[in-house]
Amino acid sequence: MQTIHRNPNVMWREETDALAQVQEALDRGDEVEETGTSVLFSGGTMISLNYLGTEIWKLCDGRTMDGIVAELLPQFEVDEAVLREDVQAFLDELAAKGFISYAE
Amino acid sequence: MELASPITIYWDIPAAADTSLLQRVAADILDCRPLMLQITSTEPRLTEDILTVLEQFRDSPVSVILTIPLAAYDDSCRDHLQGSGVQEVLLAVNHADRSGGEGWPVSGLVGISFPVISGNWRELPDLVHSCLDHGITRLVLPMQRLYEGEPPFFLTVREQRELAEALAVAGGAVGLNLTIHDPFLWRAFNPGVPFPQGGCQAANTMIAISPDGGVYPCPSLPVRLGTVGSQSLKEIIASASKKELRRKLLAHPGACWECGELVECRGGCRGRAYVMHQSLEGEDPACW
C-alpha cells in the first residue's frame, strides 16, 4: 500500500492569523479557497496552501490515500469521490515539486 | 505572496553584545515564528554569546544557518557546533583560496559565504574551483549589508558579461549548491535562466536585524523600521510603517516603467537603488 510522506527538508508553518480568519469565514459560510493558511519553503521555492491544502499537508505523515480521505471526509461537506480526486491532484502537484514523496 | 510574518530573519550579531539583550532578541525572533534564521557573526571566534543564542533555538522549529569567519572555525568551534542544532554553517571568506589547500577546511559539511565586492568579484570563477577542490558544495553570495550607508556594490552590464564569460570558460558552477541574492549576479551564473524570486522580498519574506538592533526590511535596504529592545520585533513587523514600505516595494520603480527588461528583473535590487537615489523610484545601478 502506497504511503505519503512530507519531505523532511521542507520548512513550513501554519499562519495562525489567517487560520483564525478562515475559521470565522467558514462559520459565516463564506468561501475560503483563496486564503493561504500555511506557507511551505524548500530549495528556494515558497508555496502557500489554503485551508484544505494545509489539512492535507498535515496528514502526509506516512498515511495512505485512503487514510487521508477518511480523516478529511467528516470535516468537509463533499462527496468522497470528489474529495479523493481533489486530494490526489493536490498530492501529485506537491510530489512534482518535491514537497512530498510516495513510498510503497 | 504577501506574508504577515517573514520566513527568513537575518540577524547580524554585534561584536560586543549584552547577553541578556541577545536572549531577549532571540525570544522575540522565536515569537515571530520564522522558518529560517540567518545568524552572522564577524567575531574571530565562536563566543559564549553566540552559543547561548544557539541554545535558545536548539529545540525550536526554526532552521538556523550560522555564518562565521573562516578563522573562527577551529577544532573547538567544530566541537561546540556539533549537536548545537545549527542546520548549516557557512564560513565567510573574502578571497578564493590560492594557497593550494591551506586554510580552508576540506569538508562537505560546511559551506562558504563570499560577500562579493568590487575588489573580489573577478575571483568568482576561482572561488568556484576552490570550493569544489575542497569538497565544499555549498556557496552563498550574501546580500551586501548597507545599514550604515556603505557604497553599494554592483556590476555594470559590461562587467556582468565579463563575469558570465569567465565563469563559462572556467566550466561554470556545476556541482555547487549556490544561493545568489543579486538578480544580476544570478544572470552571470545562470545565463538565460530567470531569477527565481518574484521581485524584491524586502519586508515580506525577509526582515533583517543589524548589529545595533535596527530592524530593516532587508540587509541591503537601509530604511530603519524600528529597534529591537525598544519595541518587540513582532510589533515592528506588524507596524503601519512596515506595511506602507511593503506597499511601495510592490510597485515597480518609476524609473523602470518603460524598460523592456522589467518583466525579468522586476526592478532589481531596491535597496541598492535606494542608496543610490535616496528614493524607491530609481533604477538599480546594475542596469547601467
Side-chain angles (χ1 to χ4, degrees):
Chain A
M1 185 71 78
Q2 200 175 48
T3 52
I4 299 147
H5 303 262
R6 286 193 295 270
N7 178 343
N9 294 323
V10 174
M11 293 174 272
W12 67 284
R13 74 176 177 215
E14 278 195 283
E15 302 290 55
T16 45
D17 291 349
L19 184 60
Q21 286 169 17
V22 161
Q23 280 163 345
E24 283 173 22
L26 285 171
D27 289 344
R28 292 193 304 268
D30 293 347
E31 290 291 324
V32 295
E33 274 184 28
E34 300 299 318
T35 306
T37 60
S38 67
V39 58
L40 280 54
F41 183 80
S42 179
T45 302
M46 180 176 72
I47 59 174
S48 176
L49 303 183
N50 64 15
Y51 182 61
L52 175 58
T54 301
E55 293 306 302
I56 298 171
W57 168 254
K58 289 192 294 189
L59 294 170
C60 296
D61 54 2
R63 287 167 211 246
T64 61
M65 179 70 176
D66 286 347
I68 292 176
V69 171
E71 188 74 32
L72 293 173
L73 204 52
Q75 298 179 49
F76 296 90
E77 287 177 21
V78 62
D79 187 68
E80 180 175 344
V82 173
L83 178 63
R84 184 175 294 274
E85 196 176 316
D86 286 351
V87 171
Q88 188 65 67
F90 175 74
L91 291 176
D92 287 345
E93 199 179 319
L94 285 184
K97 289 176 175 158
F99 282 72
I100 62 155
S101 61
Y102 296 108
E104 291 297 335
Chain B
M1 182 191 322
E2 294 303 298
L3 301 177
S5 189
I7 59 171
T8 304
I9 294 179
Y10 294 85
W11 185 15
D12 294 346
I13 300 254
D18 169 351
T19 307
S20 64
L21 177 61
L22 291 183
Q23 288 175 304
R24 285 206 306 277
V25 175
D28 241 11
I29 290 171
L30 279 167
D31 202 28
C32 294
R33 301 172 63 232
L35 300 180
M36 273 181 292
L37 172 63
Q38 304 263 0
I39 296 177
T40 299
S41 165
T42 54
E43 285 283 284
R45 62 187 180 82
L46 194 66
T47 62
E48 281 299 319
D49 285 334
I50 295 170
L51 290 170
T52 303
V53 164
L54 295 180
E55 185 61 31
Q56 271 181 272
F57 290 95
R58 182 203 288 269
D59 297 319
S60 79
V62 181
S63 292
V64 175
I65 294 103
L66 175 67
T67 302
I68 53 175
L70 172 65
Y73 193 66
D74 55 17
D75 289 343
S76 163
C77 175
R78 265 189 291 272
D79 290 345
H80 277 111
L81 290 179
Q82 268 184 353
S84 66
V86 172
Q87 193 204 5
E88 184 174 52
V89 178
L90 298 172
L91 306 180
V93 301
N94 295 314
H95 295 285
D97 178 34
R98 291 164 170 158
S99 66
E102 290 175 19
W104 279 35
V106 182
S107 166
L109 300 176
V110 294
I112 291 294
S113 172
F114 185 78
V116 187
I117 55 172
S118 56
N120 67 12
W121 68 268
R122 285 190 170 87
E123 295 180 32
L124 281 165
D126 285 343
L127 178 80
V128 168
H129 278 280
S130 296
C131 289
L132 295 173
D133 287 349
H134 290 83
I136 292 167
T137 56
R138 180 86 172 106
L139 174 60
V140 176
L141 307 183
M143 281 179 280
Q144 190 183 9
R145 272 44 177 175
L146 298 175
Y147 305 124
E148 303 291 341
E150 297 86 342
F153 164 72
F154 61 92
L155 295 180
T156 62
V157 173
R158 185 183 56 75
E159 289 169 333
Q160 289 163 38
R161 282 198 208 103
E162 180 188 330
L163 176 59
E165 286 166 13
L167 285 164
V169 167
V174 177
L176 273 184
N177 175 3
L178 262 172
T179 297
I180 304 173
H181 296 278
D182 181 328
F184 296 97
L185 272 178
W186 166 271
R187 195 154 66 181
F189 275 85
N190 303 278
V193 181
F195 188 59
Q197 286 184 10
C200 175
Q201 292 299 313
N204 183 37
T205 65
M206 71 173 84
I207 211 87
I209 305 171
S210 66
D212 71 351
V215 177
Y216 295 85
C218 158
S220 300
L221 179 48
V223 175
R224 195 168 177 121
L225 301 169
T227 304
V228 285
S230 306
Q231 273 177 291
S232 77
L233 186 57
K234 208 169 186 177
E235 287 172 335
I236 296 168
I237 288 169
S239 67
S241 57
K242 181 263 189 182
K243 287 177 183 166
E244 174 62 11
L245 178 73
R246 183 61 201 159
R247 192 188 61 73
K248 288 178 183 169
L249 290 170
L250 280 170
H252 294 311
C256 301
W257 285 350
E258 304 289 318
C259 179
E261 295 196 35
L262 181 60
V263 67
E264 188 191 332
C265 82
R266 299 171 190 245
C269 174
R270 304 295 295 276
R272 193 160 52 200
Y274 179 83
V275 174
M276 296 300 286
H277 305 287
Q278 292 303 300
S279 156
L280 291 170
E281 295 300 319
E283 73 279 20
D284 183 341
C287 277
W288 298 345

